[in-house]
């Protein structure tokens, strides 16, 4: 039986923010020819408005734009929940390395320097879509007892209450949640959570475990993180009793 691939296909909605009409037309023409749906706008305010009305899958953002630079727009998107994970490619005439790294620091996933060929842009778009699809399908959401963790969104909940976790506590909790009911020694935790190259005392693990328990306590989930005498620590699925 033939695969019905066509039914799986949905046009990719691409937002293109570009103030030069000729480039805007070129983007619309060449990307639509590839089967994408293109929403080409000349300014940041127009782009912001469009983000509220259309479901956008990827954004192409020109660096130099009237009414705010493309860089500010990328920062704006990264600061908003709805667009935080949106794949972004910057279009820039600037080839200066500092400018490019500023774009990447602001949260752009990739950049294409002008003048670019439509062919090059297509392959960059496809590569980025593949990368973001791969991220979406990897299991980033874990639940253990009353604990829920979303690695992609960097969010954790205990009894549906958001937890304010530091970087290390988050990684520690994520590691335990990926291996519930498994006892880890301090040196194993240092190795797995902190990394092998670190020269950190094993006591550091105890400090972070204490901090993690303190954060879990208001939800009553601190007892899930058990000290196993002479062995290390373990996250119990039913540690509430
Ligand atoms: Ca421009």
């Amino acid at each position: 039986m033939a695969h019905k691939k066509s039914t799986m296909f949905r046009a990719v909605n691409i937002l293109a923010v570009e103030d030069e009409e000729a480039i805007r037309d070129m983007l619309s023409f060449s990307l639509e020819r590839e089967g994408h749906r293109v929403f080409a706008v000349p300014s940041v305010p127009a782009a912001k408005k469009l983000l509220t009305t259309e479901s956008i899958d990827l954004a192409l953002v020109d660096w130099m734009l009237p009414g705010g630079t493309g860089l500010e727009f990328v920062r704006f998107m990264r600061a908003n929940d709805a667009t935080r994970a949106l794949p972004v490619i910057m279009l820039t005439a600037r080839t200066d390395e500092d400018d490019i790294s500023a774009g990447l620091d602001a949260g752009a996933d990739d950049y294409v320097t002008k003048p670019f060929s439509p062919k090059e842009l297509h392959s960059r778009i496809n590569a980025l879509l593949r990368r973001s699809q791969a991220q979406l399908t990897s299991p980033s959401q874990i639940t253990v007892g009353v604990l829920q963790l979303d690695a992609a969104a960097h969010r954790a909940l205990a009894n549906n209450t958001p937890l304010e976790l530091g970087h290390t506590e988050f990684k520690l909790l994520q590691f335990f949640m990926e291996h519930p009911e498994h006892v880890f020694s301090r040196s194993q935790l240092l190795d797995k959570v902190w990394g092998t190259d670190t020269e950190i005392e094993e006591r550091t693990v105890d400090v972070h475990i204490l901090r993690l328990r303190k954060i879990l306590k208001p939800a009553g989930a601190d007892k899930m993180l058990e000290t196993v005498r002479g062995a290390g620590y373990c996250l119990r699925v039913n540690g509430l009793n």
Side-chain angles (χ1 to χ4, degrees):
M1 211 172 89
H3 285 288
K4 287 184 181 174
K5 252 190 175 165
S6 57
T7 57
M8 302 280 288
F9 182 80
R10 180 175 77 80
V12 173
N13 287 347
I14 297 179
L15 166 67
V17 200
E18 167 62 66
D19 60 319
E20 279 173 67
E21 195 181 357
I23 299 179
R24 224 162 46 231
D25 289 348
M26 184 272 268
L27 289 170
S28 297
F29 176 78
S30 62
L31 295 173
E32 277 168 5
R33 200 178 48 191
E34 292 291 309
H36 302 312
R37 238 175 118 201
V38 182
F39 300 88
V41 292
S43 67
V44 170
K48 285 183 179 174
K49 199 174 162 205
L50 211 127
L51 282 174
T52 64
T53 58
E54 300 295 335
S55 165
I56 298 298
D57 302 304
L58 183 141
L60 303 172
V61 181
D62 182 26
W63 180 290
M64 293 299 287
L65 289 164
T69 70
L71 204 61
E72 283 161 13
F73 181 56
V74 174
R75 286 202 189 99
F76 165 84
M77 287 193 287
R78 289 300 178 244
N80 282 278
D81 283 340
T83 49
R84 199 181 301 280
L86 187 72
V88 175
I89 297 177
M90 291 211 77
L91 308 176
T92 171
R94 302 171 169 222
T95 46
D96 190 90
E97 254 181 43
D98 289 343
D99 289 342
I100 288 167
S101 48
L104 297 175
D105 286 347
D109 298 288
D110 200 359
Y111 63 91
V112 177
T113 49
K114 295 179 191 174
F116 52 84
S117 73
K119 203 178 160 206
E120 186 196 354
L121 185 61
H122 293 316
S123 42
R124 296 289 190 95
I125 287 173
N126 289 334
L128 183 53
L129 287 173
R130 273 199 304 275
R131 287 210 303 272
S132 53
Q133 275 314 112
Q135 271 171 17
L136 286 178
T137 49
S138 74
S140 72
Q141 295 183 9
I142 325 165
T143 302
V144 176
V146 295
L147 299 175
Q148 284 171 281
L149 184 137
D150 187 334
H154 210 272
R155 223 177 2 229
L157 307 170
N159 275 324
N160 298 317
T161 308
L163 300 171
E164 297 278 341
L165 294 162
H167 180 71
T168 304
E169 282 74 34
F170 188 90
K171 282 178 72 179
L172 198 55
L173 181 63
Q174 182 180 359
F175 181 73
F176 276 120
M177 288 179 70
E178 284 166 351
H179 309 88
E181 303 291 341
H182 188 128
V183 181
F184 292 99
S185 68
R186 289 170 180 79
S187 68
Q188 280 176 320
L189 289 170
L190 275 181
D191 192 40
K192 303 286 186 189
V193 179
W194 276 262
T196 39
D197 296 333
T198 48
E199 286 188 34
I200 300 173
E201 291 177 58
E202 293 193 351
R203 218 174 55 85
T204 307
V205 177
D206 302 337
V207 172
H208 286 280
I209 293 276
L210 279 178
R211 280 163 72 165
L212 183 53
R213 278 202 188 119
K214 209 171 159 187
I215 296 163
L216 295 173
K217 201 175 167 115
D222 56 315
K223 291 180 186 70
M224 291 173 76
L225 204 51
E226 198 181 296
T227 304
V228 182
R229 281 185 71 114
Y233 296 101
C234 174
L235 183 72
R236 301 292 182 197
V237 179
N238 296 306
L240 291 171
N241 308 320

